[in-house]
Every structure is written in C-alpha cells, then in structure tokens.
Amino acid sequence: MSRIRAVYWDPDGSRYGIPTWWWQGAPAGYATRRQLRAAGLRPGRQPVAGQILWRGVGGTRTAYLYRVDLARPRRTATPAQLRAVAAALTARRTCPTCRHIKPYCIPRSLGECVDCAYPSEVAA
C-alpha cells in the first residue's frame, strides 16, 4: 500500500469519524449518490455510511458513500409534475417582447431574445 493511499485507509472510522477508503478502494455494497442514481435507486434518508478520500485539484476531495442494501427505489415524476416542468421550460424560451418561442433559453441579462435585444445586428 502506498503512503498516499495509507493516509486515507480508515475502515473502522477511528481517524475520520466514519469508515474511509481511498479512491476505488471501497468494498462492495457501498455506492455514491451518482452510482445509486445510475442503478435506479436513492439513499432514502439513510445516514452517510462511509467516504472516499483522494487528492485532487485544490486539496483533498471527498465522496460520501451509502449502503446499497438500504437504498430505496427512485421516485418517478407524476404526469402533473412533468407538465409543470415542460411549461416552465417553455416559459424560459418564450420572448416577452415578440412572444416567439426560441430554441434557446432567453438570457436573463437581456430580458428578451437576442433578435429583440440587438435588432440592427440581426438585419445586417
């Protein structure tokens, strides 16, 4: 075991307070939120079961781990929630000046579409 990995080896949690492993050193049965999401699961109010530490840009990086056996199935959005999200995204693409639906979100810095904000540049 290298010195760098040995710094992050704490499977009983005596040094860091929770079980700690180095990058790609966690045992089976633990997963990050992103890994749970890819498997169609969510943590489901369980506490953090461990962590992974590694040296990265800006210092020591951390990824929290959750137990897979305690994870719950991911909740799916209801049809009403999906309609609300679609309506909100359409509103973000609708220009308040010309009322056209654009293929991009209207920049908040301009408050209107690029065609309305810079009419002389579009005509040229």
Side-chain angles (χ1 to χ4, degrees):
M1 179 182 328
S2 71
R3 287 181 299 134
I4 295 171
R5 287 186 173 188
V7 172
Y8 303 131
W9 177 253
D10 183 25
D12 56 355
S14 60
R15 181 185 302 164
Y16 296 104
I18 58 175
T20 304
W21 296 274
W22 60 74
W23 177 257
Q24 296 182 345
Y30 291 94
T32 62
R33 281 183 179 268
R34 188 172 288 191
Q35 290 168 337
L36 289 175
R37 177 83 174 176
L41 300 170
R42 61 186 170 102
R45 296 187 182 180
Q46 65 173 298
V48 174
Q51 66 183 352
I52 294 175
L53 296 177
W54 72 97
R55 287 192 340 184
V57 176
T60 302
R61 307 285 310 263
T62 305
Y64 295 112
L65 299 171
Y66 300 91
R67 291 182 39 191
V68 176
D69 59 339
L70 298 178
R72 295 181 180 173
R74 193 172 75 203
R75 296 181 296 191
T76 58
T78 65
Q81 289 172 328
L82 294 174
R83 282 193 306 271
V85 168
L89 291 175
T90 302
R92 288 182 64 189
R93 292 184 0 231
T94 304
C95 176
T97 306
C98 65
R99 306 301 301 165
H100 284 95
I101 298 175
K102 299 293 181 177
Y104 56 89
C105 290
I106 304 300
R108 292 180 63 192
S109 60
L110 300 177
E112 56 190 1
C113 68
V114 176
D115 299 337
C116 294
Y118 304 107
S120 61
E121 294 179 15
V122 175

